[in-house]
Amino acid sequence: MPEGDTVWQAARRLDDALGGCELVRSDLRVPRLATVDLTGRTVLDVTPRGKHLLTRIEGGLTLHSHLRMEGTWRVFAPGERWRGGRSDQIRAILGTADRTAVGYRLAVLELLRTRDEHRVVGHLGPDLLGPDWDPELALRNLLRDPARPLGEALLDQRNLAGVGNIYKSEICFAVRAVPWLPVGELTDPARVVVAAKRILEANRERTSRKVYVYGRSGQPCPRCGTALRATSLRDPAGSERPTYWCPRCQPNPPADNGSRSQGS
């Protein structure tokens, strides 16, 4: 699943390509939008909100998209060959005289009034990479359910927006807590919010993420040299997600964590 930094980068690419320009091509390939024609309208801006993309268009319209697991927006110059997937995976095409943005495998694509954006993003917590970032509110949200596992609480976009499965593991490693530790048992829960902000900001300008534990099961911990481990934990939607940690830097609490260990 894309992280907040991925969505932030996608919004910047789209805004650079489309912002302030008139659309000369509009093709929305989902049934409810099949007859919508946005040509002749100017794209005002493209704004990220957590993991959501809001493309605001002249006339009080917003094209809302969400990448989910496999979606992507690609930008192409005139005459450039489109790359990003099969043609039947294209869900949206927005073209100006100089650039064409193509959305592949978009799990969510809907057109709404800009004044109604709260319907799709109003439930989100403060955005780690957004102008609304509020660390005190994010901390209160995380601590609202003290018994909830830290990893699950971090993935809940209603608490703070922008953390995905990769950064869940990285944040827990940074604060030396296992992802299944109840948030109420954290000795310094404010460190979690600080670490989340620092990690996403450090990666938002990078073309490749800097990670310490994610995807590195069996490799030495960069902090202590102990072999990292992997387990499968549920996310807020009930899906199993790979989770990585160091058994020395992040000691397990004595209670059964209900995880399934993998690797060494």
Side-chain angles (χ1 to χ4, degrees), residues 134-253:
D134 182 340
E136 294 182 359
L137 175 58
L139 180 59
R140 290 198 300 271
N141 291 344
L142 284 173
L143 295 175
R144 190 162 41 203
D145 183 355
R148 196 174 195 186
L150 173 59
E152 183 178 318
L154 285 170
L155 289 176
D156 190 334
Q157 303 300 295
R158 296 171 298 181
N159 291 332
L160 66 171
V163 176
N165 198 49
I166 295 174
Y167 290 142
K168 172 197 72 178
S169 292
E170 296 296 312
I171 294 166
C172 290
F173 177 72
V175 301
R176 296 175 178 260
V178 287
W180 48 87
L181 181 73
V183 294
E185 295 183 22
L186 288 162
T187 56
D188 186 3
R191 289 183 61 209
V192 174
V193 175
V194 172
K197 177 69 168 174
R198 173 175 54 81
I199 289 171
L200 264 78
E201 282 199 333
N203 281 281
R204 70 177 177 181
E205 301 283 355
R206 292 176 178 269
T207 55
S208 60
R209 293 190 182 101
K210 183 175 181 64
V211 297
Y212 292 96
V213 295
Y214 188 86
R216 300 184 66 243
S217 177
Q219 298 181 43
C221 170
R223 185 185 286 146
C224 72
T226 302
L228 298 172
R229 301 186 70 182
T231 196
S232 181
L233 296 177
R234 286 185 293 275
D235 65 14
S239 300
E240 297 288 331
R241 302 290 182 203
T243 301
Y244 300 84
W245 88 101
C246 173
R248 182 174 181 181
C249 293
Q250 300 164 262
N252 293 320

Side-chain angles (χ1 to χ4, degrees), residues 32-66:
R32 77 173 82 176
L33 302 179
T35 61
V36 171
D37 184 5
L38 300 174
T39 58
R41 296 176 185 258
T42 298
V43 175
L44 303 179
D45 63 75
V46 182
T47 298
R49 182 72 174 86
K51 298 183 181 183
H52 301 252
L53 283 165
L54 303 171
T55 302
R56 296 175 178 135
I57 301 167
E58 179 186 14
L61 298 175
T62 294
L63 185 65
H64 167 233
S65 58
H66 197 299

